[in-house]
Amino acid sequence: MKNAIIYIPGKGGSAKEAEYYRKFFNDDFDIIGFDYKSKNPWDAKVEFSNYFDSIISKYNKIILIANSLGAYFTLISLADKKIEKAMLTSPIVDMERLILDMMISENVSKEELRIKKEIETSFGEILSWEYLTYVIKDTINWNIPTEVLYGENDTLTSIDTINNFVKKTNANLTIMSGGEHWFHTKEQMEFLDKWFKRYI
């Protein structure tokens, strides 16, 4: 049986980005981009679980690569699946904290959001009471061997939040000095490549 690399993009990303990682693996591995449709965590839990259940039996082992929001959906959906290892880049690991930080920046209180149900932010995101109350209750319980790549200047996840996550899950953390949430510059991609080669 072959092995599989499953790539899970972040918000606005594409499953086609999976091809970037082909250079790291030989022909024993299928490289698969997961083109999920879910926008909410409760939908992602069903979609991600069903997708992995449909392919796990076809492969000897599965390694995950997930970015940002895709990593968050992975963490809440796939903890009980037969996954060899996870490589997470700029993962969202505390959605409650992220939403509360956005509310603070927009001067929106919990009470206001509870009454209005949804509030559009100045930066185009929708604050949702349903989403917030769901993520408060749905905590991450993750014990799959995991490597995390984090940019020092990530504006979505603080260093304290990422440290809490790696401590709780026994993940290994690599921090790029001056790195951002979105790894895209030549220097950042070179750093990502070195990290990936070292820990895969």
Side-chain angles (χ1 to χ4, degrees):
M1 291 174 71
K2 294 186 79 171
N3 304 310
I5 304 300
I6 310 294
Y7 173 78
I8 303 171
K11 184 177 180 179
S14 167
K16 294 177 183 177
E17 295 164 10
E19 286 301 311
Y20 180 83
Y21 293 90
R22 186 170 295 280
K23 63 188 177 183
F24 297 106
F25 300 96
N26 60 30
D27 291 340
D28 292 336
F29 289 84
D30 284 344
I31 313 295
I32 304 167
F34 178 26
D35 188 20
Y36 62 93
K37 307 302 180 190
S38 298
K39 292 182 170 57
N40 297 310
W42 50 91
D43 295 324
K45 270 198 158 181
V46 175
E47 183 181 7
F48 278 51
S49 183
N50 288 345
Y51 176 74
F52 273 79
D53 286 346
S54 74
I55 65 167
I56 279 176
S57 63
K58 300 174 184 176
Y59 292 100
N60 180 44
K61 68 178 180 180
I62 291 178
I63 295 173
L64 291 181
I65 305 169
N67 292 343
S68 191
L69 181 64
Y72 172 69
F73 285 164
T74 295
L75 292 167
I76 64 168
S77 306
L78 302 177
D80 62 344
K81 303 303 180 187
K82 187 184 173 187
I83 295 166
E84 185 90 1
K85 188 172 193 175
M87 305 288 286
L88 308 181
T89 303
S90 303
I92 303 296
V93 296
D94 189 339
M95 185 60 77
E96 178 186 357
R97 180 72 266 155
L98 177 56
I99 294 171
L100 292 175
D101 286 345
M102 287 194 289
M103 290 170 63
I104 290 168
S105 72
E106 293 290 290
N107 199 27
V108 172
S109 68
K110 276 190 177 181
E111 182 65 11
E112 182 183 3
L113 187 58
R114 184 185 68 81
I115 292 168
K116 293 183 177 178
K117 303 302 181 192
E118 288 189 350
I119 297 174
E120 186 169 358
T121 65
S122 60
F123 44 87
E125 294 290 339
I126 302 290
L127 294 170
S128 161
W129 179 250
E130 183 182 20
Y131 202 122
L132 175 60
T133 54
Y134 183 90
V135 301
I136 288 172
K137 296 174 186 173
D138 193 49
T139 55
I140 291 170
N141 295 295
W142 185 258
N143 56 15
I144 290 167
T146 299
E147 296 288 340
V148 175
L149 177 59
Y150 173 82
E152 179 187 34
N153 296 329
D154 192 321
T155 57
L156 296 185
T157 302
S158 71
I159 186 64
D160 287 342
T161 297
I162 207 76
N163 278 329
N164 287 339
F165 170 77
V166 298
K167 184 177 180 181
K168 179 182 173 184
T169 61
N170 291 315
N172 295 316
L173 176 63
T174 300
I175 300 174
M176 179 181 180
S177 178
E180 303 168 273
H181 181 76
W182 179 32
F183 278 68
H184 65 290
T185 68
K186 181 182 177 183
E187 181 186 12
Q188 290 164 359
M189 296 310 291
E190 286 175 351
F191 191 97
L192 183 150
D193 283 0
K194 288 177 183 176
W195 165 75
F196 200 86
K197 286 177 185 174
R198 182 175 181 182
Y199 292 110
I200 195 61

